[in-house]
Amino acid sequence: MVKFLKPGKAVIVLQGRYAGRKAVIIRNFDDGTRDRPYGHCLVAGIKKYPSKVIKKDSAKKTAKKSRVKTFVKLVNYRHLMPTRYTLDVDLKDVVTPDVLQSKDKKVTAAKETKKRLEERFKTGKNRWFFTKLRF
């Protein structure tokens, strides 16, 4: 079988708290681990999407509307829907599986992820990834 869920692939989370949210795969575990004996992957995604910015907004309001909230999570492959898009954001050094062991490490990883995704949003690349799903 062809492995198409590779790091950098944009996916949509289908189950749980972040259902309907877009995420990007950071690392995959095709054969599973001892505590999770099924195929899963580590994803970083957008919890709260940036709002629409209009021309008459002040710089302060534009900065506030451009904010992104993120999450970091291990997700079962069956709870993901792959998309045709890829994201070339380098999060491998920030988000690792051992980050999820303690709350403070997870918070710092989420903050760094937020910073890198906001940079990507401000450059205007990967516009689809930063828009809310409409269905």
Side-chain angles (χ1 to χ4, degrees):
M1 195 170 127
V2 179
K3 304 269 191 274
F4 56 91
L5 290 171
K6 295 185 174 111
K9 178 71 105 173
V11 293
I12 298 171
V13 181
L14 300 175
Q15 297 287 326
R17 181 178 184 181
Y18 302 114
R21 302 277 188 234
K22 294 173 189 169
V24 61
I25 296 175
I26 294 165
R27 184 162 174 214
N28 31 355
F29 304 93
D30 292 326
D31 302 324
T33 56
R34 196 169 353 121
D35 53 329
R36 289 175 185 258
Y38 47 83
H40 61 281
C41 59
L42 180 66
V43 298
I46 299 181
K47 192 189 305 185
K48 187 170 183 275
Y49 293 98
S51 303
K52 189 171 183 174
V53 177
I54 55 176
K55 198 184 279 188
K56 71 175 186 178
D57 284 344
S58 65
K60 186 177 173 185
K61 193 159 192 168
T62 303
K64 188 173 171 69
K65 283 184 170 184
S66 298
R67 286 194 190 136
V68 171
K69 279 195 175 181
T70 58
F71 66 89
V72 177
K73 193 175 170 73
L74 282 168
V75 185
N76 189 338
Y77 280 157
R78 293 179 180 199
H79 300 159
L80 295 175
M81 186 170 84
T83 64
R84 64 183 178 178
Y85 300 103
T86 56
L87 224 76
D88 52 339
V89 179
D90 188 35
L91 296 169
K92 230 179 185 93
D93 55 336
V94 179
V95 183
T96 56
D98 58 297
V99 158
L100 300 172
Q101 303 303 327
S102 69
K103 182 77 174 164
D104 54 333
K105 281 185 184 176
K106 190 174 179 180
V107 168
T108 55
K111 282 182 182 174
E112 185 62 32
T113 304
K114 169 189 163 90
K115 195 170 91 179
R116 293 193 185 184
L117 286 178
E118 278 179 357
E119 282 173 19
R120 177 51 56 107
F121 174 69
K122 285 181 179 137
T123 59
K125 291 183 180 162
N126 306 104
R127 188 157 292 171
W128 175 85
F129 188 73
F130 296 101
T131 55
K132 212 173 193 178
L133 265 186
R134 299 282 179 197
F135 57 91

